[in-house]
Amino acid sequence: MASESVKVVIRCRPMNQREQELHCQPVVTVDFARGQCFIQNPGAADEPPKQFTFDGAYYMDHFTEQIYNEIAYPLVEGVTEGYNGTIFAYGQTGSGKSFTMQGLPDPPSQRGIIPRAFEHIFESVQCAENTKFLVRASYLEIYNEDVRDLLGADTKRRLELREHPEKGVYVKGLSMHTVRSVAQCEHIMETGWKNRSVGFTLMNKDSSRSHSIFTISIEIYAVDERGKDHLRAGKLNLVDLAGSERQSKTGATGERLKEATKINLSLSALGNVISALVDGRCKHIPYRDSKLTRLLQDSLGGNTKTLMVACLSPADNNYDETLSTLRYANRAKNIKNKPHINEDPKDALLREYQDEIKKLKAILAQQMSPSNLSALLSNQGLLNPAQTEEKPLPPSVIQHDMEAEKQLIREEVDLDPEVAKEVALATEPGVGTEAEAQPLLAVTGSRRDCGTDSTMPVVDQQRVLARLQLLEQQVVGGEQAENRDLKEKHKRRKRYADERRKQLVAALQNEDEDSGDRVLLNVYDSIQEEVRAKSRLLEKMQRKLRAAEVEIKDLQSEFELERIDYLATIQRQERDFLLFQQLLEQVQPLIRRDCNYSNLEKIRRESCWDEDSGFWKIPKPLIMKTSLPVAHHNSPPGLGSPLNNNSAFLPTQAPETPQPRPFRL
Ligand code: ADP
Ligand code: MG
C-alpha cells in the first residue's frame, strides 16, 4: 500500500491591534513560490534567519479561499471518493486557527475551511452520476480531557471513548446528524460552535481553550457501467486545536491553570506521537496518552490523508511560540500515512437502509398490483439509481396526492404514538439523528411476520410508505447531474490544486540546481570560475553550519523550558495528591480500629484504572463502625477535631507539613 506524508502548510496572520499598539516588528517572512518560511530571532540580528520548507506557505494577504483551493481541495475530494481525511489547525492562541477553520462570512474569500468543505461535498454529490450519498455530521469538544457532544441533548455530559476492532476508536453516545444540504451543515456548525467552552486568558480573551472536532461521515453507494454496486465510506475530521502556548505565558491561575495544564498535556501527547512516528526506531506510539491522540490515531500514521495548518503570529514578541510552532509543523511533515479507500464497510448504515427498503418493498408488493407499486415507489425515488432509470413514472402517479397520504398517516398517528414520531419525521424533513431512523420492521415485525402476511390493512401500508419515505430522505444525490457549469467548475478546481503542487516542486528543484553535488562535479572553463563557484558553495555551507549550531542551542533551551514546565506540573499534582490523602485519612469509617490495617490500604490495592471511562474503579469500603461525630471545640489547633473515639488512628502531622483544618459539624 502506497504511503503519503502528512501535508503541512503555514499561515501567518496580519499584526493585530495589540501588536500594532506595542509597535511590534514582524519577524516572519514567506517565500510563497517555494512554500518557505523564514523567522528572524529579534534578540540576535546577526544570526541568519531560520528557514523551513512546507507544502505551502501563506502570508498576511492570502485568503482562506486560496489555501482551500490549493491544498485542502484534493483532501476533501478524496473523502467523497471513500478516503478518510483530517485537517487540523495548530498554533498559539490568537494565531488564526479558528479564523482558518471557521472563518468569517464576510468577505466570502475568508470563509473558513469547514463551511468550504460543506459546499465542496455537496458540489461533489451533485456532480456524481449514479451515486447516492448518506452524509452525517458530529461535533465534539475535548475540554479538560473530557469529551462532550456539542450537538447532544446534554452538552455537559462526559462521553467515553471506546475501541472497536474494525471501526477503531470512537466516542460512545456521540450524536450523528444526517445532513442533506449546505444550510443544514452550517446550522449544525453554528449550534455546536455556540456550545463550546470559552475561556478568557491574556493571550486572547475570545479564544476557546478546548479542542474541537467536527466530523463529516460520508457513505457512498455507486453503480458502475456493468450494473455492479459499490459501497464506500469516507470520514472528514476538521480539528480546531486549543492554543499551543506554554502555560507560563498565559497568566492563567486557578481553574484556568488547570485547563492550561491539561491542554498542554494533550498537545504534548500529540507532539510525542508525532516524534515517535518520525523517529524510525520507536516501536511504541503513545496514542493512549490523551483523548486527543486516541481520537486522531488514524490521522497520524494510519489510514487517513492528513493536512496540518500551522498558524503563526508575525510579531517579534511571539518569536519563541512561533518558532516552536514551526518546529512542531516541520516534524509533522515527516509522518507517513497509508490512506486507502474504505470499501464495503461492515457497519455501513446505507447497507442497512437498503436491506430495510428491500423488505419494505416486499411488504408493499404483496398488497398492490405491480404497476401501482412501481409507480408509487418511483414517485418516492429509489435507493438504487440504476433502477430509477429503468422504471419511468406513469404520469398519473406523479400527481400522487401527498396531502391525502399524510392525512391517512395522521389518522393512524392518533392510534399509535410510536408511529407518530416516525410519521412526523417522515413528513417533515429536517436534520435527523441516527436514532430517528430506527427500523420500522422491528415494530411491525413484533406484531406479525410482515414479509408473508397478505391481509395487511391499508393503515400499515401507509406506515410502510412513511418509513420508506423517511429512509429515502436520509440520502442525497443520484440525480443525473444536468448542471454542466457545476461539473466544469468541479473539474477546474481539481486541476488547479494539481498545478499548484507541480509549481511548488518545480520551484524547489530550481533551488537544488545550486546544490553541492552540481558545483563539485561541474567542469569549469577556467580555474577562476571554479574557485568562485566553490567559494560561494563554501560560504553557503558555512551559513548552514552556523544555522545548525544555533538550532541545537535553541532546541536545548526549549527542552529545558519544557522540563521546567513538566516539573512544575508534577509538583502541583503531588501537592494535590497530598491534600486528598490528608482529607481521606480524616474520614473515619475508612480506618479500622485494629490499628495496622486500614480500609484505605485495601482500597488502594484493589482499585484499578479504567482507561475507557478515565476513572478509577474502587471496591466498596468495609465500614466496621459508624458513630456520629462529636464537635470538639477545645482540641489543640492543627490536630483537627476528632470525629469520634477513633482519633488515636488519625495520622500525626510532621511539623513542617501544613496542618489540616478542624473538621466541625
Ligand atoms: P485562535 O483560534 O488561534 O485563537 P483566532 O482565529 O480567534 O485565533 O484569531 C484571532 C484574531 O485574529 C481574530 O480576531 C481573527 O479575526 C484575527 N485573524 C486571524 N487570522 C487572520 C487573518 N489571516 N487575517 C485577518 N485576521 C485574522
Ligand atoms: Mg480559536
Side-chain angles (χ1 to χ4, degrees):
M1 193 182 302
S3 69
E4 69 169 48
S5 300
V6 166
K7 302 262 185 304
V8 180
V9 299
I10 60 105
R11 181 184 205 183
C12 179
R13 65 155 167 78
M15 290 267 189
N16 63 26
Q17 205 184 339
R18 192 163 156 254
E19 289 161 346
Q20 282 171 9
E21 282 164 10
L22 291 171
H23 302 292
C24 292
Q25 294 303 309
V27 289
V28 177
T29 47
V30 152
D31 178 348
F32 170 72
R34 293 195 172 92
Q36 287 177 331
C37 175
F38 306 87
I39 184 165
Q40 179 69 52
N41 184 351
D46 57 323
E47 266 179 23
K50 293 181 205 312
Q51 177 185 327
F52 299 87
T53 305
F54 297 105
D55 299 284
Y58 299 90
Y59 208 44
M60 309 178 181
D61 50 346
H62 285 116
F63 295 122
T64 310
E65 181 175 32
Q66 185 171 1
I67 302 177
Y68 189 88
N69 288 342
E70 290 185 358
I71 192 89
Y73 193 90
L75 187 145
V76 178
E77 187 62 16
V79 175
T80 65
E81 292 161 3
Y83 285 100
N84 294 334
T86 292
I87 302 178
F88 62 96
Y90 181 89
Q92 73 181 113
T93 300
S95 59
K97 296 179 298 297
S98 304
F99 184 86
T100 302
M101 297 307 287
Q102 196 88 12
L104 301 176
D106 197 42
S109 51
Q110 291 291 33
R111 291 176 69 228
I113 287 178
I114 301 181
R116 280 173 197 284
F118 300 154
E119 229 168 58
H120 180 170
I121 286 169
F122 284 97
E123 187 182 287
S124 299
V125 165
Q126 272 178 284
C127 290
E129 286 178 12
N130 291 339
T131 310
K132 286 272 187 184
F133 296 81
L134 173 67
V135 187
R136 288 176 299 154
S138 64
Y139 203 0
L140 66 84
E141 176 182 63
I142 307 173
Y143 183 68
N144 262 341
E145 283 299 289
D146 290 343
V147 179
R148 304 185 309 124
D149 185 351
L150 294 175
L151 303 171
D154 177 6
T155 54
K156 297 271 176 291
R157 214 179 99 216
R158 208 170 162 270
L159 300 179
E160 289 177 13
L161 298 192
R162 287 284 158 87
E163 204 149 349
H164 185 272
E166 273 153 24
K167 274 200 305 191
V169 178
Y170 67 99
V171 182
K172 189 175 167 239
L174 182 69
S175 64
M176 299 279 280
H177 301 258
T178 304
V179 276
R180 297 186 300 275
S181 67
V182 176
Q184 283 182 344
C185 281
E186 280 175 348
H187 175 70
I188 277 189
M189 180 182 78
E190 276 154 27
T191 310
W193 180 254
K194 285 188 197 127
N195 286 331
R196 284 187 73 173
S197 310
V198 174
F200 297 90
T201 68
L202 289 181
M203 294 295 296
N204 180 336
K205 66 183 173 53
D206 294 315
S207 237
S208 177
R209 308 293 307 151
S210 63
H211 313 281
S212 73
I213 307 183
F214 192 104
T215 305
I216 306 176
S217 307
I218 309 181
E219 290 181 16
I220 311 146
Y221 177 84
V223 182
D224 64 20
E225 306 84 55
R226 277 168 284 143
K228 193 172 177 318
D229 61 350
H230 300 271
L231 191 59
R232 295 171 173 180
K235 197 165 76 173
L236 177 64
N237 292 312
L238 300 158
V239 189
D240 184 356
L241 294 171
S244 58
E245 60 276 0
R246 268 197 313 276
Q247 64 203 46
S248 46
K249 197 171 176 182
T250 63
T253 51
E255 264 303 294
R256 287 273 165 270
L257 184 67
K258 189 175 144 208
E259 285 173 21
T261 312
K262 289 214 175 156
I263 287 160
N264 273 4
L265 273 182
S266 210
L267 284 175
S268 299
L270 186 65
N272 292 342
V273 165
I274 293 174
S275 300
L277 283 166
V278 174
D279 177 359
R281 292 162 303 178
C282 247
K283 291 253 165 10
H284 171 70
I285 312 293
Y287 292 114
R288 297 188 77 88
D289 282 2
S290 77
K291 300 261 161 59
L292 185 70
T293 46
R294 284 189 77 191
L295 280 171
L296 291 182
Q297 178 161 345
D298 225 17
S299 311
L300 301 160
N303 168 26
T304 302
K305 289 169 179 270
T306 301
L307 165 67
M308 177 197 225
V309 184
C311 299
L312 314 172
S313 150
D316 50 2
N317 64 346
N318 283 319
Y319 171 77
D320 286 342
E321 289 302 339
T322 306
L323 181 59
S324 150
T325 301
L326 283 167
R327 289 208 176 104
Y328 207 94
N330 201 43
R331 258 185 301 164
K333 72 183 195 203
N334 297 316
I335 298 174
K336 294 268 183 283
N337 281 349
K338 293 181 196 68
H340 60 82
I341 289 182
N342 304 300
E343 295 269 9
D344 210 6
K346 300 262 177 325
D347 57 337
L349 212 57
L350 209 48
R351 180 77 76 205
E352 278 174 35
Y353 286 177
Q354 205 184 11
D355 289 347
E356 198 190 342
I357 284 174
K358 264 190 212 150
K359 284 178 193 158
L360 292 172
K361 283 178 185 168
I363 297 171
L364 290 177
Q366 293 188 330
Q367 309 212 337
M368 302 171 117
S369 71
S371 63
N372 276 352
L373 175 64
S374 142
L376 202 78
L377 294 182
S378 302
N379 192 31
Q380 305 236 350
L382 291 172
L383 193 65
N384 183 341
Q387 277 177 305
T388 320
E389 270 174 60
E390 284 159 18
K391 295 171 188 166
L393 298 181
S396 60
V397 187
I398 296 175
Q399 311 292 321
H400 183 70
D401 187 352
M402 281 302 289
E403 270 317 304
E405 183 178 305
K406 282 184 193 172
Q407 188 49 44
L408 264 173
I409 295 168
R410 278 185 211 111
E411 280 165 19
E412 188 185 8
V413 168
D414 292 337
L415 301 174
D416 188 344
E418 185 146 10
V419 186
K421 199 176 141 220
E422 277 166 16
V423 172
L425 284 162
T427 53
E428 280 165 39
V431 180
T433 64
E434 218 170 89
E436 287 163 358
Q438 291 304 310
L440 171 72
L441 290 177
V443 182
T444 50
S446 62
R447 274 180 252 162
R448 66 170 70 84
D449 182 1
C450 19
T452 53
D453 191 343
S454 57
T455 58
M456 185 187 286
V458 176
V459 279
D460 269 8
Q461 212 178 70
Q462 295 306 327
R463 293 180 60 202
V464 171
L465 274 172
R467 176 70 190 161
L468 259 174
Q469 200 182 12
L470 172 67
L471 291 176
E472 291 299 342
Q473 279 169 1
Q474 305 287 310
V475 295
V476 283
E479 301 84 24
Q480 290 303 301
E482 289 298 335
N483 194 337
R484 276 179 157 271
D485 287 350
L486 191 68
K487 278 185 171 176
E488 259 315 303
K489 185 176 146 207
H490 200 65
K491 272 192 203 142
R492 263 202 318 275
R493 290 179 79 184
K494 269 190 196 175
R495 274 201 304 272
Y496 183 77
D498 265 2
E499 277 158 21
R500 172 70 190 137
R501 203 172 41 239
K502 282 182 198 147
Q503 278 170 9
L504 262 181
V505 172
L508 286 169
Q509 260 168 4
N510 286 345
E511 194 181 56
D512 273 357
E513 283 180 6
D514 207 17
S515 74
D517 280 359
R518 209 182 121 90
V519 173
L520 293 175
L521 299 174
N522 207 359
V523 179
Y524 295 91
D525 291 340
S526 70
I527 192 111
Q528 283 88 348
E529 199 190 319
E530 187 173 353
V531 168
R532 263 199 306 274
K534 290 190 173 166
S535 303
R536 267 202 314 272
L537 178 66
L538 185 65
E539 269 172 36
K540 197 173 149 190
M541 290 302 166
Q542 277 171 338
R543 272 200 308 274
K544 272 195 172 171
L545 178 67
R546 258 189 75 209
E549 282 166 356
V550 172
E551 183 71 2
I552 291 172
K553 230 171 68 198
D554 275 7
L555 283 177
Q556 278 169 342
S557 55
E558 192 166 295
F559 278 131
E560 188 56 26
L561 281 176
E562 242 170 60
R563 203 177 63 90
I564 292 169
D565 264 4
Y566 277 131
L567 270 179
T569 309
I570 292 171
Q571 270 168 357
R572 213 173 27 252
Q573 285 175 343
E574 253 174 18
R575 264 181 235 143
D576 278 354
F577 170 76
L578 261 177
L579 172 70
F580 287 127
Q581 174 134 353
Q582 283 171 257
L583 283 175
L584 254 184
E585 280 166 0
Q586 291 210 28
V587 181
Q588 285 298 295
L590 291 175
I591 302 173
R592 273 176 55 158
R593 290 197 110 222
D594 44 295
C595 49
N596 53 11
Y597 179 73
S598 83
N599 246 330
L600 202 56
E601 276 298 309
K602 184 174 171 340
I603 290 171
R604 202 175 271 160
R605 255 201 332 269
E606 293 176 8
S607 298
C608 58
W609 175 250
D610 182 24
E611 192 75 52
D612 289 331
S613 65
F615 270 117
W616 283 95
K617 283 195 172 146
I618 23 187
K620 280 224 156 68
L622 255 177
I623 298 177
M624 301 301 291
K625 176 176 186 277
T626 51
S627 59
L628 277 176
V630 178
H632 206 290
H633 298 283
N634 299 327
S635 61
L639 259 183
S641 296
L643 298 176
N644 62 18
N645 55 3
N646 273 348
S647 60
F649 298 105
L650 280 172
T652 44
Q653 298 296 317
E656 66 277 12
T657 53
Q659 303 295 307
R661 288 185 58 204
F663 198 121
R664 292 183 209 281
L665 288 174

